[in-house]
Amino acid sequence: GNIGANYKNTRHNIGFEVIDYLAEKYKADMEEVKLCKKGVFRFKGKKIILIKPTTLMNRSGKAVRYWALKENIAIQNILVITDDLHLPLAKLRLRGRGSDGGHNGLKDIEAQLNTPNYPRLRFGIRNNDKRFSQIDFVLGEFSTEEKDELVRAIIKCDEIVLSFAQKGLEKSMNLFNGEAS
């Protein structure tokens, strides 16, 4: 996502919306630290670190790499939550690797981690209109009609994140990827 009021509630910032939901639910105070806003909470003995890069999305890999190294987090334990223009609205897909799909934030994370093999939770933002400016669309806000679907999907993201932390990627993929989002 991107920091700043002009980006809040935009399609491109859905990952930040999920982080905000988790931070509020688990009372993780998001503090401004080097390259991000960071919060920490524990769930069933697992330490979960939330970060919202302040580097702008296209340079978010810098924050991911810095905090992975600082906190000694293995790549397989990083979960990037990202918007996906190629998935239908509110469709969720957990993956262990993949292409950046033209997403500059994922492209930067891949470059900074030196691999496309890192877990990501893709959150669909596509609508059915085939004729639109991609930049205007992803930087646009969700409609009132879309918001109910989004709330349900954000709550489902909470379940996926906790499962990922407790059970790992493979088991979580088996549990959630077959579900209708």
Side-chain angles (χ1 to χ4, degrees):
N2 289 310
I3 296 293
N6 52 331
Y7 294 108
K8 190 158 179 58
N9 300 318
T10 64
R11 290 176 179 85
H12 225 16
N13 268 30
I14 194 65
F16 277 13
E17 294 290 327
V18 173
I19 296 298
D20 289 343
Y21 176 83
L22 293 169
E24 184 176 329
K25 182 173 180 180
Y26 298 103
K27 297 174 180 33
D29 292 329
M30 298 296 288
E31 297 179 64
E32 186 116 8
V33 294
K34 185 171 183 174
L35 303 173
C36 71
K37 289 187 176 183
K38 177 182 164 218
V40 178
F41 70 93
R42 292 199 168 276
F43 182 79
K44 294 187 178 180
K46 298 285 184 177
K47 180 180 178 182
I48 299 174
I49 300 169
L50 307 171
I51 71 166
K52 291 171 50 175
T54 55
T55 55
L56 293 179
M57 183 177 296
N58 295 350
R59 295 285 175 244
S60 55
K62 189 173 182 179
V64 172
R65 182 175 184 272
Y66 176 83
W67 285 100
L69 290 171
K70 183 158 180 60
E71 295 286 345
N72 198 27
I73 302 168
I75 287 176
Q76 69 267 18
N77 294 327
I78 294 170
L79 180 61
V80 174
I81 303 171
T82 184
D83 62 288
D84 192 322
L85 189 58
H86 304 293
L87 289 176
L89 181 68
K91 177 76 175 166
L92 303 171
R93 182 145 314 127
L94 187 59
R95 292 283 185 253
R97 63 183 179 276
S99 77
D100 58 56
H103 192 293
N104 290 328
L106 295 181
K107 196 175 294 183
D108 191 60
I109 292 168
E110 179 178 330
Q112 290 288 328
L113 296 179
N114 202 28
T115 182
N117 301 329
Y118 59 88
R120 76 267 329 254
L121 176 55
R122 294 180 175 263
F123 194 119
I125 63 166
R126 182 182 74 212
N127 71 3
N128 294 326
D129 187 2
K130 300 287 185 211
R131 297 160 288 140
F132 62 87
S133 160
Q134 184 171 322
I135 292 171
D136 291 341
F137 181 75
V138 298
L139 293 177
E141 292 191 14
F142 292 103
S143 71
T144 305
E145 298 79 38
E146 293 170 322
K147 289 187 179 174
D148 285 342
E149 276 186 86
L150 294 174
V151 169
R152 285 191 295 277
I154 288 170
I155 292 168
K156 181 59 71 178
C157 286
D158 174 22
E159 293 177 48
I160 294 170
V161 167
L162 296 181
S163 176
F164 176 81
Q166 289 293 303
K167 299 174 182 169
L169 177 66
E170 294 300 321
K171 286 183 181 177
S172 298
M173 285 172 53
N174 290 335
L175 283 170
F176 295 100
N177 280 350
E179 288 186 5
S181 300

